[in-house]
Amino acid sequence: MIDERILKNIPGLDTGKTVTCIDAKDMDAKTFAKKFVNTNTPVLIKGGLKHWPAYEKWPQPGYLEEVGKDSEVNYYRHMNFSSDSSMKASAKKHNFAQALTEMRSGLDEVLFAPVSFKAEGFKKLQKDMTGFPFIAKKPRPLAYPDARMFVYKGAGSNWHLHVLDETLMCQIHGNKRVALFPSDDGNYKELKEIFYSDALLKDENCMAHLADKIEPYVVDVEAGDTLYIPPNWWHGVQPVDHEVGMTIPYCWRSPYHKISNLRYPAIRDLYKDAFKKPGLPMLVVPFYGLITLFAQCIYRTKLLAGR
C-alpha cells in the first residue's frame, strides 16, 4: 500500500516543470556551489551516492537489523505528517530490528520509522556514508542534524519546507517522486495553513483554486540518486514502489548570503517568532541577518564582476 494523498491532488503536477539532472561524474564542487546552492536551485544528481558503502550494505536483509537490534525508534503506521503535533500524538516506541523485520514481511500497511545517528546503536552506520566529491565544505547545520535516516514502506513525507540549512536527499533504497516549488511566489501564507494543518490529506479540493498560481517541479529519485532541495522550497515526497525504502536527509549550513534572506516569507516569520519573547533567538537571528546582508553585498559584487 502506498499513501498517494501527498501528490495526488496538487494542481499542475501532470504538466510540472523538470528539475535539472546531472550525472554524478559530471558534477564538481564549483558547479554545484555556483549554479545550484548559491542560486537556491534544485538539481538531481544521478548516481550521486553509489560510491557509499551504505548503498550496497543497508538494503541487504540482516545488516541494519543487526545494527539496530538493541535500539528503539519511533514507529508510525502512517506517513510523515507535516504537523509535529500529529506525529507526537501517534508515536509508538518499537525495537528497530523488529520494525524492519515487520516491514520486510510483506505486510500491506503504510509504515515509517525515523532513525537518529546520534543514538548509540546507530552511530556505527556513519562510516557507511562517505561524503560527496561535489561538496567542497560541509559546515555544521544550524537547525538540522548532519544526517538522519527515514526507513519506510509506502510512507512519504507530507508538504513542508526547510527554513535554514541545505539538504541533499540521498536515496539509499527504493524509488520516490518529489514535487517542489519555491515559497516566494505570493502564496506562502495560504499554503502554510494548508500544508502544516495536513488539510490536503483531508480535503482533496483544498488547493484547486490555486491551479493557476503554482507551477510545481516534478522529479523521480531512484536508488543511488541524490536530490538537492534548497531551503525555502516547498516539497512533498512520495514512494513509487512497495520496497522497504531508506532515505538520508544530508544537511549542512547554508552560505551566509542565504541564511537570513528576507525575500522568503518563512525567514520573515523566523524574525517575527524571535521577537515574540526575550531569549537567545532575539540575539542570534538579527546577528545572522547582519552577516547575511554583508554577505549578499559581497556575493552580488562578485556576480557583477563576473566571478
Side-chain angles (χ1 to χ4, degrees), residues 161-220:
L161 54 73
H162 309 142
V163 182
L164 300 172
D165 296 328
E166 308 298 322
T167 300
L168 198 64
M169 175 184 149
C170 305
Q171 195 61 20
I172 304 292
H173 194 63
N175 303 324
K176 285 182 170 180
R177 179 161 295 155
V178 182
L180 61 171
F181 47 87
S183 63
D184 61 340
D185 59 359
N187 303 303
Y188 171 76
K189 187 175 181 180
E190 185 170 9
L191 288 173
K192 179 183 177 182
E193 175 60 32
I194 290 172
F195 291 152
Y196 287 159
S197 65
D198 291 316
L200 187 64
L201 306 180
K202 306 165 189 173
D203 179 4
E204 63 182 25
N205 297 311
C206 70
M207 286 183 63
H209 63 292
L210 294 172
D212 297 329
K213 297 181 179 180
I214 62 173
E215 295 183 278
Y217 288 75
V218 184
V219 57
D220 286 334

Side-chain angles (χ1 to χ4, degrees), residues 27-74:
M27 180 67 86
D28 57 76
K30 184 178 180 180
T31 300
F32 183 57
K34 185 176 181 179
K35 291 190 175 181
F36 301 103
V37 176
N38 284 347
T39 62
N40 225 44
T41 304
V43 61
L44 177 68
I45 304 169
K46 290 295 295 181
L49 62 75
K50 286 188 175 180
H51 63 287
W52 279 16
Y55 175 67
E56 297 290 342
K57 292 180 178 180
W58 293 6
Q60 297 175 12
Y63 185 80
L64 290 180
E65 286 90 335
E66 177 63 26
V67 170
K69 63 183 180 181
D70 298 320
S71 300
E72 283 193 334
V73 294
N74 285 332

